Amino acid sequence: MSFEIKLPLFEGPFDLLLFFIERDELDIHDIPISKITSDFLDYLHRLEEMNIEVASEFILVAATLMRIKSKMLLPRPQLDEEGNEIDPREELVRHLLEYKKYKSVLEQLQQMEEAEIEKEKRGNLMKEVRSLSETVNVESELQDMDLYKLLKVYLKVMERYEVEKNKPRHEVIQYPYTISGQRDYIMHVLDESPKLAFEKIIAYDPNKIAVIFNFLAILELLQMNLITMHLGEGFNNFWIEKLEQVAAE
């Protein structure tokens, strides 16, 4: 037997984001993306600690928040055709405003639906089930049952089973990396080595996801003024160094 656990406040990722915005009284048009991303990921981690399966749409929004956060950390903003700076949060804000607009009328629509169910015979499920149970003679149907009819039902059930079995399945892989964890890792390596080349960081763990997390961690450390960067020649040729060490020299 399977059980479905539904949190009434957070039926979807946008519902969760709106909760954070309203709780902290944030401006929806100027979302502090770093804070809301941290709150969103903390909520997902708590679900995992409770052994509650995280829906794929929550994973998708988490990835979207991290992508927006990484774009805002980049020193060169994106520009549109007229030369105006493009806010990476613009699309997210638009979706949130649309969701908020529909959510505001959801309760009213639900009340209208319940009122209509009370008025109309069709759609009142419990009433129809009781009516069918009173009118259908189950015993007479069983008397007309033969092997051919049973075989037809069996074939239909097997066809549905094959369709369900061959449906594509979405598998979410949880990688053992976090930006804060890789940030601490890089600072630890810099304690042992005065300068650290990005190519050397890649060599430590050449996994594609690890490289992305390490790069995002370096961007955060630059923004926090904990490290500095020295550019070299060639592709991906740069070194990082702790700022306190540069000041001491």
Side-chain angles (χ1 to χ4, degrees):
M1 183 180 294
S2 61
F3 296 90
E4 180 181 357
I5 299 176
K6 187 175 183 181
L7 301 179
L9 287 178
F10 313 129
E11 295 184 357
F14 288 119
D15 212 21
L16 178 59
L17 289 176
L18 284 178
F19 169 77
F20 291 142
I21 291 172
E22 293 171 359
R23 181 196 65 184
D24 299 334
E25 299 180 354
L26 304 175
D27 182 2
I28 196 171
H29 297 282
D30 188 19
I31 301 173
I33 201 70
S34 180
K35 173 175 172 45
I36 206 167
T37 301
S38 177
D39 291 342
F40 192 91
L41 293 177
D42 286 343
Y43 177 78
L44 297 191
H45 291 153
R46 288 180 185 177
L47 290 183
E48 292 174 351
E49 291 173 0
M50 295 168 62
N51 291 326
I52 298 176
E53 184 177 354
V54 179
S56 57
E57 58 263 27
F58 280 87
I59 303 293
L60 176 60
V61 171
T64 302
L65 289 172
M66 293 176 65
R67 178 172 59 84
I68 295 172
K69 182 179 177 182
S70 64
K71 282 186 176 181
M72 296 186 71
L73 289 172
L74 293 173
R76 294 181 181 177
Q78 290 183 320
L79 303 177
D80 59 16
E81 296 178 354
E82 298 178 357
N84 299 318
E85 183 178 340
I86 299 175
D87 191 341
R89 304 167 296 180
E90 182 178 349
E91 185 176 357
L92 176 65
V93 170
R94 187 171 66 252
H95 285 305
L96 280 172
L97 291 174
E98 285 291 324
Y99 181 81
K100 188 177 181 181
K101 179 175 67 175
Y102 287 110
K103 185 183 176 183
S104 63
V105 297
L106 183 61
E107 185 176 352
Q108 182 181 357
L109 291 174
Q110 187 175 2
Q111 292 174 356
M112 292 171 60
E113 180 186 17
E114 292 173 355
E116 290 300 317
I117 287 177
E118 292 295 329
K119 293 178 184 178
E120 299 292 336
K121 182 178 179 181
R122 292 203 58 80
N124 193 331
L125 186 59
M126 296 304 297
K127 200 171 181 180
E128 288 191 7
V129 169
R130 285 196 300 268
S131 176
L132 287 172
S133 63
E134 293 171 358
T135 57
V136 175
N137 191 341
V138 179
E139 292 183 1
S140 63
E141 286 191 356
L142 289 175
Q143 290 175 359
D144 296 334
M145 185 65 65
D146 56 21
L147 184 61
Y148 176 70
K149 291 181 179 179
L150 284 173
L151 182 59
K152 286 181 65 178
V153 172
Y154 172 75
L155 290 175
K156 287 182 180 179
V157 171
M158 292 305 296
E159 286 177 1
R160 288 201 299 267
Y161 170 75
E162 288 297 327
V163 170
E164 291 294 326
K165 187 177 70 173
N166 295 323
K167 275 186 177 179
R169 300 183 181 275
H170 178 65
E171 183 179 358
V172 178
I173 300 175
Q174 183 69 38
Y175 290 99
Y177 306 106
T178 62
I179 294 179
S180 60
Q182 297 308 112
R183 190 175 61 206
D184 295 340
Y185 164 74
I186 291 173
M187 294 300 291
H188 175 71
V189 176
L190 285 174
D191 288 336
E192 300 177 355
S193 177
K195 287 186 179 181
L196 186 62
F198 185 62
E199 292 181 349
K200 193 172 182 181
I201 299 176
I202 295 177
Y204 286 149
D205 192 348
N207 182 286
K208 180 180 178 180
I209 302 299
V211 174
I212 294 173
F213 272 88
N214 283 327
F215 184 71
L216 292 175
I218 290 174
L219 291 177
E220 277 208 355
L221 290 171
L222 285 169
Q223 189 184 43
M224 296 166 67
N225 291 324
L226 294 177
I227 64 171
T228 185
M229 179 185 292
H230 304 281
L231 297 177
E233 296 181 357
F235 183 70
N236 280 341
N237 185 15
F238 64 86
W239 295 266
I240 58 175
E241 188 175 6
K242 292 179 72 171
L243 274 179
E244 59 185 36
Q245 191 167 2
V246 173
E249 293 177 355

